[in-house]
Amino acid sequence: MASVGRNDSFAISLSDASGSPVTHLDPGTYDIEVRDLSEMHNFRLHGPGVQQATAVGNVENVVWTVTFADGKYVFECAAHPSSMSGWFTVGDVAPTKLAAAVGPKRSISLKPKITEVGPATITVNDRSRVDNFHLTGPGVNKKTAVVFRGRVTWNVTLRPGTYSYRSDKHKSLRGSLIVTLPA
Ligand SMILES: [Cu+2]
């Protein structure tokens, strides 16, 4: 069930039959009961092969029949997307690949600088015995050891927001990664 704007609150949710928030679904056809409870807000759902929305300015109860395929889906209020949004994955989603490096001299990097939510594989090339690579942000806190040198791979799930990376030994070595919802 999809719900938005109960008592004109800035709340939006998509839950399964048991009431749990939807984070992952198998591909297939689903009926979604949509309760757009506020004239201020709407419920918009988009992703591969799906583009649905209730109207802002209306209170609506509708049922959408949608077919989800492998990929990432976003739901949001079109009037307030920055504060009212969510996302989930369907089926197999290939992880985004990111490349992190620290050293050999005083350098640190993570590429790309902006990426999408979802599963990600981060390859860390730690080329320094005096610095490490430490990534923190929504749901993630991972680091290499300062004395360690070598290559490691981290599998993480990136959520919307800003992640920070740094060396724990030299505060000037740092940067950030911005994670966005699919457009
Ligand atoms: Cu809204």
Side-chain angles (χ1 to χ4, degrees):
M1 189 179 77
S3 173
V4 64
R6 185 175 295 279
N7 300 322
D8 285 339
S9 67
F10 284 63
I12 191 165
S13 64
L14 181 65
S15 50
D16 63 20
S18 69
S20 302
V22 171
T23 58
H24 181 80
L25 294 173
D26 291 328
T29 299
Y30 294 80
D31 286 333
I32 305 176
E33 190 184 335
V34 183
R35 294 196 182 148
D36 176 349
L37 302 164
S38 168
E39 294 179 359
M40 298 163 58
H41 305 298
N42 81 334
F43 195 98
R44 190 164 98 93
L45 173 66
H46 61 95
V50 173
Q51 186 73 257
Q52 294 275 4
T54 59
V56 180
N58 283 5
V59 170
E60 285 181 57
N61 280 327
V62 290
V63 176
W64 294 334
T65 300
V66 297
T67 300
F68 292 130
D70 290 348
K72 300 169 189 172
Y73 289 80
V74 173
F75 57 92
E76 63 195 354
C77 167
H80 311 100
S82 62
S83 58
M84 300 174 70
S85 63
W87 63 284
F88 58 96
T89 54
V90 173
D92 294 323
V93 176
T96 304
K97 288 181 165 47
L98 293 94
V102 59
K105 293 185 177 169
R106 292 275 166 81
S107 68
I108 196 165
S109 65
L110 177 60
K111 289 171 185 166
K113 292 180 186 302
I114 300 176
T115 192
E116 274 184 9
V117 293
T121 299
I122 305 173
T123 302
V124 184
N125 194 0
D126 185 334
R127 294 174 293 214
S128 167
R129 287 199 194 284
V130 293
D131 284 299
N132 70 338
F133 190 92
H134 189 174
L135 177 67
T136 56
V140 174
N141 185 359
K142 284 184 165 295
K143 59 186 173 185
T144 58
V146 172
V147 297
F148 169 81
R149 237 173 25 175
R151 198 179 282 266
V152 292
T153 299
W154 296 335
N155 293 308
V156 300
T157 299
L158 297 174
R159 302 183 196 158
T162 301
Y163 288 73
S164 300
Y165 58 90
R166 64 178 187 268
S167 163
D168 293 312
K169 282 292 178 189
H170 295 101
K171 283 199 161 69
S172 61
L173 285 190
R174 61 191 163 84
S176 57
L177 165 70
I178 294 169
V179 177
T180 63
L181 292 170

